[in-house]
Each structure stands twice: as C-alpha cells, then as structure tokens.
Amino acid sequence: MTKRFTQIGFSQRIRLEWLEYSANQVLAGNPTEEIKGALQKYLADKLSVGNTPVRGNRDKAITILMKVWVNPGKELHPFNEQGLRLLSENPKSTHMAIHWGMAMAAYPFWRVVAGCVGRLLRLQDSVSAAQVQQRIREQCGERVTVSRAARRILRSFHDWGVLVDTKVKGVYKQGKILTIKDPQVTSWMVEALLHTTESGADALESLLAAPAIFPFRLHRLSADQMADLSGRIERVRHGLDESLLMLVKFP
C-alpha cells in the first residue's frame, strides 16, 4: 500500500471558507510561496493567535490547505486543475461538494471518516463521536494520530454544517444535504472517490451510493457518460449488468 493511502495527515479542523480562500489564491495565479504567505496572514487571527510556535496549529492547517488545492501531488494534478475550473464556473452554493471531493482525494482518511459517518446515519437518526471513534479504531488501529485526526475531521464536518448538534453533547444528526445537478461536478465527485481507492476502480452503483458522500445527492449518470465527461475514467464491463469505473493511468 502506498504512502498516500496509509498517511493520516489531517491534524487540524479545516473550515470551508479557508479552502475557498486557498483555491481563490490559486485561481488568481499566485505562486506557491506567495499563497503560503497569504495564508499565514489570513489565519493570523484565527489560529495560534498571539504566538508563532514551531509547527503550531496555524502551520499545520496551512500544510493541509496547501496539499488540498496548491500542491496535491502530480498524480492528482489534472483532477485538481479541473476542480479549480469547476469552482470558477459553478455558483458558490455548489462549492462545498468540490472542496469535499478535493479533500477526499488529497487525504483518503477524510473518506474513511466520512464513510463511517454516512453508514451510521443510514442505520440511525444520529451519530455519536464515540461511535465514529470506535469504528475508526477498528479499521485503522489504536493510534493516537488516528483518533486525533478523526476528531478534527468530525469537527470540520460540524463546521461545514453537514453535521449539526443534538441536545446530547457529542451526538450529531444529519445537517445540510446538497443536490448536485451539474453532470460535470457529479463525474468529478465520482473520480474523487476513485482516487481514494488504491485500485483506482469501483462499481458505478457503489460509487453513486458511497456513504462517504452522505451530504450530497449526485445527478445520476451512466458509466459511459462518466467516462466521456472526465477523460480520466474508463468503463470496464464487469459481469452481465454491472459497470466498473477505473481511473486511466497517466505516465
């Protein structure tokens, strides 16, 4: 298993508006070091206020933001470029889905936590942080970094409004649900899910119904439509009536 799929990396809660700011910096054509400096100023009154510890919360958040939209890695470069294009072409009401997809692709652990939450919400009306932590530990092991990252991602879900508080502390219910009508965004979101699998392949129906995209309802497309819209996905016939989607491997 490659490092990208075993590395947790998500050490801070990340607000939606921080990702929007980061993506806008890239869309403006600003160079990497300039974006990093802009993020330092932007987060100065939000994280590590009044102090500059080595690798403090602000620096850790910037590392995450940079990896999501600025330097996601060469294997995600074409996907990242299209995500930025979709942000510039779509209304802000759709942007949460695009940030969600890019966060998943850059940090597959985001999908692990989201998938756990999504599965629990299909079984019950609410989900507790303790339930999520237990299932994450069962899946990823009893590591402090795993528990801490899961907690940060859960808090991010809350900040984004996809989980909302109940009367019981540490227990959440489903928040906002966004319907995605743009076929390009749907295809791109499906590709995001494929980037979180080491095989780069999965059945179309499994992808469209993935628990990890619990805050979204995707426009239904055929496997051929997905492949045509993306250019980075190909359809592989699997059995008599099942379509498998697979990432095209670029050199």
Side-chain angles (χ1 to χ4, degrees):
M1 187 174 287
T2 62
K3 185 178 180 181
R4 198 170 79 82
F5 295 97
T6 57
Q7 192 175 43
I8 303 301
F10 217 97
S11 58
Q12 289 297 312
R13 62 196 288 186
I14 298 296
R15 294 187 180 274
L16 190 57
E17 59 265 30
W18 301 353
L19 285 166
E20 187 80 3
Y21 181 85
S22 305
N24 284 337
Q25 289 288 312
V26 182
L27 286 167
N30 296 330
T32 299
E33 286 306 311
E34 190 174 312
I35 294 173
K36 193 177 292 186
L39 285 169
Q40 281 285 353
K41 292 179 182 177
Y42 177 72
L43 297 175
D45 61 348
K46 300 172 179 66
L47 290 170
S48 301
V49 179
N51 59 78
T52 54
V54 176
R55 291 299 297 158
N57 291 342
R58 191 190 311 150
D59 284 334
K60 291 175 182 177
I62 289 171
T63 296
I64 295 169
L65 295 168
M66 295 289 288
K67 185 173 180 181
V68 172
W69 280 120
V70 187
N71 291 314
K74 66 178 183 179
E75 72 277 6
L76 293 175
H77 186 63
F79 174 75
N80 170 269
E81 284 190 327
Q82 187 186 3
L84 289 165
R85 216 163 38 245
L86 289 172
L87 286 174
S88 68
E89 295 169 354
N90 282 272
K92 200 166 183 179
S93 58
T94 308
H95 288 192
M96 182 175 72
I98 301 167
H99 291 303
W100 189 280
M102 197 64 224
M104 276 199 307
Y107 287 97
F109 188 67
W110 180 280
R111 180 184 179 171
V112 173
V113 180
C116 178
V117 172
R119 281 188 290 274
L120 285 167
L121 286 173
R122 288 180 182 178
L123 297 171
Q124 54 201 45
D125 293 333
S126 62
V127 54
S128 72
Q131 287 176 314
V132 175
Q133 287 283 2
Q134 179 184 341
R135 283 158 178 76
I136 294 297
R137 287 195 298 269
E138 289 170 357
Q139 188 171 345
C140 301
E142 297 275 353
R143 288 182 285 163
V144 174
T145 52
V146 168
S147 179
R148 185 182 297 121
R151 187 163 59 250
R152 300 291 190 270
I153 291 175
L154 268 180
R155 293 306 301 168
S156 298
F157 292 172
H158 182 268
D159 288 342
W160 292 29
V162 299
L163 291 180
V164 295
D165 292 321
T166 65
K167 293 180 180 179
V168 181
K169 185 178 180 181
V171 177
Y172 308 100
K173 60 183 180 180
Q174 175 100 41
K176 64 179 74 171
I177 297 176
L178 180 62
T179 299
I180 304 300
K181 298 179 181 179
D182 186 329
Q184 284 280 2
V185 177
T186 291
S187 173
W188 188 87
M189 286 286 287
V190 165
E191 185 179 346
L193 288 163
L194 289 173
H195 279 295
T196 68
T197 65
E198 193 161 23
S199 67
D202 203 351
L204 172 61
E205 290 304 315
S206 297
L207 292 163
L208 290 173
I213 52 173
F214 70 90
F216 310 103
R217 299 293 177 266
L218 300 184
H219 179 83
R220 292 197 67 83
L221 296 170
S222 69
D224 288 332
Q225 287 174 313
M226 294 272 189
D228 289 343
L229 285 166
S230 169
R232 295 179 301 274
I233 297 174
E234 61 183 359
R235 178 194 178 196
V236 180
R237 196 171 295 280
H238 184 69
L240 294 175
D241 57 357
E242 189 175 37
S243 292
L244 195 71
L245 290 176
M246 181 178 293
L247 290 173
V248 176
K249 300 297 182 184
F250 291 94

